[in-house]
């Protein structure tokens, strides 16, 4: 009985920004738990490669290319998925970017770019999918936050601002939509070796600092985020709402 609580068989999950890195790993985890997964990215070729890899692992995977920062394209894509593929039971808002730079010289265009990618996209996709979930009176939405939903570090203030906003948007979505039997929660990854963190992974000074700063003493592996996603997507989390689970090797627990 307890294992069945985490069974996602018969569920369909849309994961944004899932052609690589954390998004692809989350899609793999949900797929292995039984869900059919819909991958999303802007580049169709990279999406095709990811879908092929998941199918080779026995996962029911489909790719749908669209830009999550374009409200009109998002609405069109979600409506098409619902009509042609099937209802979206689980939404994972993973798409995001990082643009580093000193705050005093941070370009205005780059500020708008990172807000569109990291915050607007969560609102756009959640709103489009949420309308269908409200009609069905059920659904799971998982937003991907960050340690930077709670902390800050030099040169990434705009990123920190967007991830802090994702945390509070998660709470707001819960407040509005929990009445419709929709559970909206977030995962806050710590430092994981992904393409987004490539510059940090390859920096010996930062690598050494991180390992000393993290109680677990290492970088996270993307597959270590799968368990939290499966939990939040499953019936085991039916009364968990408006929360953010940090998967960080203990970074937030210590100073």
């Amino acid at each position: 009985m307890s294992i069945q609580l985490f069974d996602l068989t018969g569920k369909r999950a849309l994961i944004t920004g899932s052609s690589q890195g954390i998004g692809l790993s989350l899609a793999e985890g949900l797929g292995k738990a039984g869900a059919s997964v819909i991958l999303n990215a802007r580049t169709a070729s990279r999406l095709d490669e990811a879908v092929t890899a998941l199918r080779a692992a026995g996962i029911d995977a489909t790719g749908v290319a669209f830009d999550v920062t374009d409200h009109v394209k998002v609405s069109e894509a979600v409506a098409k998925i619902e009509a042609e593929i099937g209802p979206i039971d689980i939404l994972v808002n993973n798409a995001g970017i990082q643009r580093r730079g000193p705050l005093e010289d941070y370009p205005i265009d780059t500020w708008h770019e990172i807000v569109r990618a990291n915050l607007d996209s969560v609102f756009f996709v959640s709103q489009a999918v949420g309308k269908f979930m409200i009609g069905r009176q059920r659904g799971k939405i998982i937003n991907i936050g960050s340690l930077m939903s709670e902390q800050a570090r030099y040169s990434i203030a705009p990123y920190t601002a967007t991830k802090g906003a994702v945390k509070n948007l998660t709470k707001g979505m819960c407040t509005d939509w929990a009445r419709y039997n929709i559970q909206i929660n977030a995962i806050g990854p710590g430092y994981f070796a992904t393409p987004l963190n490539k510059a940090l992974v390859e920096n010996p000074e930062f690598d050494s600092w991180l390992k000393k700063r993290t109680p677990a003493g290492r970088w996270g592996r993307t597959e270590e985020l799968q368990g939290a996603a499966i939990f939040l997507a499953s019936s085991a989390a039916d009364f968990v709402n408006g929360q953010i689970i940090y998967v960080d090797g203990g970074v937030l627990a210590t100073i």
Side-chain angles (χ1 to χ4, degrees):
M1 177 64 73
S2 60
I3 293 177
Q4 291 177 350
L5 283 174
F6 302 93
D7 184 11
L8 300 181
T9 301
K11 302 297 184 180
R12 184 174 292 102
L14 169 63
I15 306 96
T16 68
S18 49
S19 63
Q20 62 179 342
I22 287 175
L24 180 56
S25 182
L26 294 177
E28 179 185 32
L30 296 176
K32 286 182 177 179
S36 299
V37 297
I38 302 168
L39 306 189
N40 155 263
R42 287 182 297 182
T43 306
S45 59
R46 293 173 68 177
L47 203 55
D48 291 343
E49 292 175 5
V51 167
T52 299
L54 291 184
R55 287 178 177 173
I59 294 170
D60 180 5
T62 307
V64 180
F66 63 92
D67 183 353
V68 294
T69 70
D70 185 322
H71 182 258
V72 173
K73 297 297 185 185
V74 166
S75 296
E76 292 174 348
V78 168
K80 186 174 183 179
I81 290 169
E82 288 273 340
E84 298 181 5
I85 299 176
I88 299 168
D89 304 292
I90 303 158
L91 167 63
V92 181
N93 285 305
N94 171 75
I97 61 173
Q98 174 66 285
R99 298 288 185 265
R100 296 177 175 84
L103 188 59
E104 64 273 20
D105 296 320
Y106 206 82
I108 297 301
D109 288 347
T110 306
W111 165 268
H112 289 303
E113 179 191 20
I114 200 169
V115 169
R116 285 195 303 270
N118 294 358
L119 180 58
D120 288 355
S121 67
V122 177
F123 171 65
F124 293 162
V125 183
S126 295
Q127 186 183 62
V129 174
K131 291 177 180 178
F132 288 97
M133 289 182 170
I134 288 170
R136 290 188 286 268
Q137 297 284 291
R138 59 179 171 81
K140 306 279 187 178
I141 299 177
I142 303 169
N143 298 326
I144 303 303
S146 168
L147 278 183
M148 299 305 122
S149 296
E150 301 287 351
Q151 297 181 322
R153 193 171 56 78
Y154 174 73
S155 81
I156 61 167
Y159 179 85
T160 299
T162 62
K163 290 302 183 178
V166 166
K167 173 188 172 182
N168 272 354
L169 180 57
T170 300
K171 294 177 180 291
M173 291 165 64
C174 163
T175 303
D176 278 24
W177 294 346
R179 71 195 70 188
Y180 303 117
N181 189 34
I182 303 172
Q183 292 80 52
I184 305 99
N185 295 286
I187 297 172
Y191 286 96
F192 285 75
T194 67
L196 191 67
N197 283 329
K198 186 174 184 293
L200 299 180
V201 174
E202 295 177 350
N203 183 321
E205 183 180 359
F206 187 88
D207 178 69
S208 176
W209 172 85
L210 174 69
K211 290 173 180 176
K212 292 176 182 177
R213 175 68 178 81
T214 305
R218 61 176 176 82
W219 291 82
R221 297 184 289 270
T222 56
E223 60 268 23
E224 292 175 311
L225 291 164
Q226 294 176 2
I230 293 167
F231 165 62
L232 292 176
S234 73
S235 59
D238 280 351
F239 204 58
V240 178
N241 223 331
Q243 304 301 309
I244 181 164
I245 298 175
Y246 291 97
V247 184
D248 65 355
V251 171
L252 284 178
T254 185
I255 59 172

